[in-house]
Amino acid sequence: MALYFVCFGIFHSFQSGRENNDILYTVLLPVSKTDAVKAKYKFTVLIQMIAFAISAAITLLRMTLMTDAQPYITNPMMNANQAYLAYMLLVFALFNWIFLCGFFKTAYKFGLPFILFIIFSFLLITVAEALHFIPELAYLNATDTIRDINLWIMLAAAFAVYAIGTSISCKVAMKRFERVDM
């Protein structure tokens, strides 16, 4: 759920920007409309990567020093490990696709894109929380995963999905924003 609050904070920054006519002001400057989109994407990715780095540091601490801590061993919910970090990147990728692309469709309306993000992110989180209850996928919730190569591959794949998905969504948003008449 911490991921949701990171995205909610970014949503509020977009809301504040809308209320202050930030986009209109930006496009009146001697910059292209695509530069405005890139700037918003860079801001969003920066905030997401700061949140990811903090979570990764805490997760590595949990995976190395707190492997046998009782709260993690008996935890029925998802444990902090590489799978958790991978899901975090996937939620951020969903945010960039659904919310950012939806926002730049009009550069004004962002309520529906955020509601759609909430729906799809909660579906993804529900699936992620449920997967480790399948016996063949129980390793997704293991507490001693520092040497589990499969989970490191999963994390690398999620990072690739995040990076490629964000890049493509930025290009889509730039095309959409070019068609917006300010």
Side-chain angles (χ1 to χ4, degrees):
M1 288 309 298
L3 321 168
Y4 172 75
F5 292 107
V6 172
C7 296
F8 193 56
I10 297 169
F11 165 79
H12 273 287
S13 75
F14 274 76
Q15 181 180 21
S16 176
R18 183 192 71 175
E19 301 309 319
N20 293 312
N21 288 321
D22 182 54
I23 294 291
L24 178 61
Y25 175 76
T26 303
V27 298
L28 291 174
L29 294 172
V31 295
S32 68
K33 288 172 94 174
T34 58
D35 286 341
V37 174
K38 286 181 201 174
K40 287 291 194 182
Y41 264 83
K42 286 178 182 179
F43 167 76
T44 300
V45 168
L46 175 68
I47 298 300
Q48 290 171 342
M49 288 299 101
I50 288 171
F52 180 80
I54 292 169
S55 291
I58 293 169
T59 298
L60 284 173
L61 178 68
R62 205 272 326 137
M63 289 169 49
T64 55
L65 299 178
M66 302 169 89
T67 302
D68 297 325
Q70 192 61 29
Y72 297 113
I73 293 172
T74 59
N75 183 13
M77 302 301 281
M78 183 187 314
N79 277 315
N81 60 18
Q82 302 95 317
Y84 163 74
L85 294 173
Y87 296 136
M88 184 178 196
L89 289 170
L90 294 178
V91 169
F92 286 157
L94 272 177
F95 180 82
N96 297 345
W97 262 107
I98 298 171
F99 177 73
L100 291 178
C101 276
F103 173 78
F104 284 109
K105 198 174 199 177
T106 65
Y108 185 74
K109 297 179 182 177
F110 56 80
L112 181 60
F114 194 69
I115 290 170
L116 290 173
F117 160 72
I118 291 169
I119 292 167
F120 284 105
S121 65
F122 276 115
L123 288 173
L124 175 63
I125 291 167
T126 301
V127 169
E129 286 286 355
L131 282 178
H132 68 269
F133 289 106
I134 299 171
E136 294 82 23
L137 300 176
Y139 70 93
L140 292 174
N141 203 39
T143 58
D144 57 348
T145 61
I146 196 75
R147 292 181 185 84
D148 190 335
I149 191 70
N150 291 329
L151 289 178
W152 287 111
I153 291 171
M154 179 181 175
L155 178 58
F159 191 77
V161 167
Y162 173 80
I164 293 168
T166 298
S167 177
I168 293 170
S169 74
C170 183
K171 289 177 178 146
V172 170
M174 286 188 294
K175 287 179 184 175
R176 286 180 172 180
F177 192 51
E178 282 291 329
R179 293 189 296 257
V180 174
D181 183 21
M182 298 296 291

